[in-house]
Amino acid sequence: MVEVIYHYFPKTEVSISIDEQILYELAAEYGTPFFLIDEATLRSKLKELEDGFKEFSGVVRIAFSMKANFNPAVMKVFISENILFDVTSVGELFFYLKCGGGPENVIYTSVTETGEEFYEVLGKGVRHIVVSSFNGLMNLIDAASQREVTPKVVIRVNPEVHVKAGVKASCRSGKFGVPFNTPSLDSATSLLRTILHNKGLIFEGFHFHLGSQIEDPTCFVNALEKLETFILKMRREFPDLHVRIIDIGGGTPVSYGTSVPTPEDIGALVSKKLNTMIQRLGDRFMLIVESGRFLSTEACILVSKIVNSKVYRGQKFIFVDAGYHLLLDAALLHQEYPQEVVPYTESTEDLKINLAGRLCDTYDVFPLSSDSKLSGAEPGKLVVFRNVGAYSIVFNMPFHCQTKPPILLKKTDGEFILVRKGETIEELFEEEGGNIVTSYSID
Ligand SMILES: *Cc1c(COP(=O)(O)O)cnc(C)c1O
C-alpha cells in the first residue's frame, strides 16, 4: 500500500486577492460579468507543479494543455516560460504559433489523426507526434514521406487502470489511446513494431492521460507499473528498444473546496516509481507532465453582479448576471466553484441561499462549494466565482443571445489591462449570420 498525504488548501488562501474597491471600479468600467486573470498566479502554479517533481532523477518538462484555456494572454505568459504545449488540433496550433510559440515545444496529440492534419502540422515544423491508432500511424507515415521529414513518435497507451477522478480517461474500451496488447492492429505492440520497422520515424516513448481532477495518485504508479512490464516484454523482441520520453498526461487536481493531493504528493510518489524505472530500463528518459487545470484554474475569477433576489418557501434565490453559458462545468460536472459575495458580511439570517444564473434553464443554478460565502447577498453587490481559469472561457456559448464577456489581466506589476474586449450584441447578431439572410417581405 502506498500512503498518500492529502494537504488541505487553507480557506484563507484565496487564489487572487483583489481589493473590493478595485473590483467595483473594474465592474463600473467594463460592466459585468467579466473574467479576471492573474499573471502572477499563472507563473507561480507552473513553478509549484515543476517543484513537485524535483525528486525525479531525470529531466522534467511541464506542458500546458491549451484546451483548458487558449486565451492568447494566458498562452503568451506560458510561452514566455519556455514550457511545452499539449496541442490537439490545427486550430489550436494556429493560436499557439500566432502567440509566438515555437513548433519545437509542441506535443501534438490528435484524436482525429487524419493525413491532412498531420501534413499541415508537420509543415508548420512540429515533430513530436503522439499516435493513438493504427490508422493514425499510417496517416502520419504518409504525411511524413510527402513532407520528407522524420517525425518523433510517441505511442499513447491506455493502461486501463482504475482511476479515482472528476473525469476519467483510462476506462477499458475508452476512446483514447491503445491497449498494450490485443490481437487488433490498434495495440501498443503493433504500433511499436510498425514504428521500429519504419526508417522514416524515430521512436520516442510513451504517453498516457488518466483523467482530470485525479483524487488518488496511485493510479499513476499502477499505470507506470504496467508500462514498465510492457517495455521489458518488448525488449525481448527488440533488444535495442530505448525509451526517451514518458509522458504521464494531465490530471493534477485543484481544490474547489475539498481536500486534494498536491503536486508535491503526486510528484513524490511518481518520481519514486520513475527513478526505479530508470534503473531497471537503463534509460534516462525525460518525464513530461501535462496540465491544463492545475496551471490555469486558480489564476482566474469571474466577477458577476447580483441583479435580483426572491424568497420562495423559506429559501432565498439570488440571481446573478452570469450563468452556465460562462461556466459550463457548473451544469455539466456540478463543479463547485467557490463563490463569494463582495463585500461579504456575516449575516444571522439563516435562509438557505440558492445562487441562480440568468439563463432560462433549470440547470442554471450554481452548485455551492464548502468555501462559498454568500451571506449578505443582495442586488447590486458583486459575486466572485473563484477557480474558473480552466474549462470555462473556452466553453463560452451564446445561449440566450449572451455575448462573450471581457477578459482582464492583472499583470505582475499590478496593472490591469483588457486582453479580450466584450462582444457587443450587434457583433453577435452579425456572427450568427444576422446580416446574411435578407428579411422576408410580408405580403
Ligand atoms: C485534457 C488533457 C490534459 C490536461 O488535463 P488536466 O486535467 O487539465 O490536467 C492533458 N493531456 C491530455 C492528453 C488531455 O487530453
Side-chain angles (χ1 to χ4, degrees):
M1 260 322 269
V2 191
E3 205 173 304
V4 186
I5 302 147
Y6 294 91
H7 293 291
Y8 189 74
F9 286 97
K11 285 188 191 226
T12 47
E13 192 195 316
V14 177
S15 47
I16 305 183
S17 54
I18 287 159
D19 198 80
E20 289 176 4
Q21 173 94 30
I22 292 177
L23 275 187
Y24 275 87
E25 282 170 17
L26 294 173
E29 188 171 351
Y30 297 100
T32 54
F34 65 87
F35 288 100
L36 175 60
I37 300 171
D38 185 48
E39 180 185 342
T41 307
L42 290 173
R43 295 189 192 276
S44 69
K45 287 286 136 185
L46 174 61
K47 178 131 200 339
E48 194 182 334
L49 187 56
E50 239 161 22
D51 287 350
F53 293 84
K54 60 180 180 295
E55 284 160 37
F56 176 59
S57 62
V59 173
V60 184
R61 292 207 68 186
I62 304 292
F64 178 54
S65 293
M66 65 178 289
K67 75 167 188 271
N69 193 331
F70 56 61
N71 177 266
V74 171
M75 294 288 291
K76 286 175 188 180
V77 169
F78 286 134
I79 287 169
S80 78
E81 297 276 355
N82 197 32
I83 61 171
L84 301 177
F85 282 75
D86 165 28
V87 177
T88 307
S89 70
V90 170
E92 285 188 345
L93 183 61
F94 178 89
F95 261 54
Y96 168 78
L97 296 173
K98 274 277 188 193
C99 287
E104 69 283 357
N105 282 337
V106 170
I107 303 167
Y108 196 78
T109 308
S110 170
V111 171
T112 43
E113 303 184 278
T114 66
E116 294 84 355
E117 180 182 3
F118 286 138
Y119 185 77
E120 182 87 16
V121 302
L122 291 173
K124 296 270 190 285
V126 174
R127 292 294 175 268
H128 181 141
I129 312 277
V130 180
V131 292
S132 297
S133 68
F134 190 78
N135 283 341
L137 179 58
M138 291 300 117
N139 290 340
L140 178 63
I141 291 171
D142 277 355
S145 78
Q146 281 178 51
R147 285 281 186 199
E148 298 182 5
V149 298
T150 311
K152 299 174 176 170
V153 192
V154 172
I155 298 175
R156 178 166 184 174
V157 294
N158 179 348
E160 299 183 339
V161 290
H162 174 72
V163 177
K164 195 162 170 258
V167 182
K168 300 182 179 82
S170 177
C171 330
R172 259 194 118 126
S173 312
K175 123 178 197 191
F176 302 111
V178 287
F180 289 115
N181 201 3
T182 57
S184 153
L185 285 176
D186 295 299
S187 70
T189 308
S190 129
L191 294 189
L192 184 62
R193 282 182 185 140
T194 311
I195 296 166
L196 293 175
H197 284 135
N198 192 305
K199 291 201 171 52
L201 304 172
I202 298 171
F203 173 69
E204 286 282 287
F206 296 96
H207 170 287
F208 56 73
H209 171 63
L210 302 180
S212 198
Q213 191 67 7
I214 288 176
E215 292 159 26
D216 180 351
T218 46
C219 57
F220 286 108
V221 177
N222 296 337
L224 288 168
E225 201 84 55
K226 284 185 152 184
L227 179 59
E228 181 184 285
T229 306
F230 173 73
I231 296 168
L232 289 172
K233 187 178 145 225
M234 294 309 287
R235 276 261 175 91
R236 282 184 239 143
E237 189 176 331
F238 300 98
D240 286 338
L241 173 63
H242 290 293
V243 177
R244 293 191 188 88
I245 287 175
I246 291 187
D247 183 335
I248 62 167
T252 309
V254 163
S255 172
Y256 297 93
T258 54
S259 113
V260 293
T262 64
E264 221 185 322
D265 299 331
I266 298 175
L269 200 66
V270 170
S271 299
K272 200 165 147 222
K273 173 67 206 161
L274 289 168
N275 290 343
T276 65
M277 279 176 81
I278 285 189
Q279 286 183 343
R280 279 190 203 149
L281 299 174
D283 288 342
R284 185 163 294 276
F285 50 80
M286 176 198 280
L287 167 66
I288 297 178
V289 181
E290 301 175 347
S291 167
R293 190 184 296 277
F294 184 83
L295 292 179
S296 59
T297 297
E298 290 182 38
C300 184
I301 60 175
L302 174 70
V303 180
S304 68
K305 188 149 97 202
I306 302 174
V307 286
N308 200 357
S309 73
K310 73 176 167 194
V311 175
Y312 188 100
R313 290 189 190 270
Q315 294 197 15
K316 194 164 176 183
F317 280 84
I318 299 296
F319 295 90
V320 289
D321 57 5
Y324 74 61
H325 59 299
L326 303 178
L327 297 177
L328 184 62
D329 277 350
L332 210 60
L333 304 175
H334 304 288
Q335 189 74 266
E336 295 168 354
Y337 297 105
Q339 305 97 354
E340 196 170 322
V341 174
V342 180
Y344 172 71
T345 44
E346 277 305 337
S347 149
T348 47
E349 186 183 51
D350 56 358
L351 287 186
K352 179 178 183 288
I353 291 183
N354 299 293
L355 187 64
R358 54 124 47 252
L359 303 177
C360 198
D361 186 294
T362 311
Y363 292 104
D364 195 31
V365 176
F366 292 101
L368 305 185
S369 148
S370 61
D371 273 355
S372 294
K373 293 182 185 166
L374 293 174
S375 77
E378 56 185 75
K381 281 192 179 180
L382 298 178
V383 171
V384 167
F385 292 74
R386 285 198 277 123
N387 295 355
V388 303
Y391 309 111
S392 55
I393 292 168
V394 292
F395 286 146
N396 276 191
M397 55 180 147
F399 191 32
H400 280 290
C401 297
Q402 294 302 294
T403 53
K404 284 184 187 174
I407 303 178
L408 307 178
L409 177 76
K410 185 186 179 202
K411 299 204 299 178
T412 41
D413 63 7
E415 191 195 350
F416 292 88
I417 56 167
L418 182 69
V419 294
R420 182 180 83 182
K421 73 176 197 58
E423 188 184 30
T424 65
I425 191 65
E426 288 83 5
E427 284 163 347
L428 178 61
F429 183 74
E430 170 93 34
E431 198 182 295
E432 294 300 318
N435 296 323
I436 295 175
V437 179
T438 48
S439 303
Y440 297 100
S441 58
I442 302 166
D443 4 79

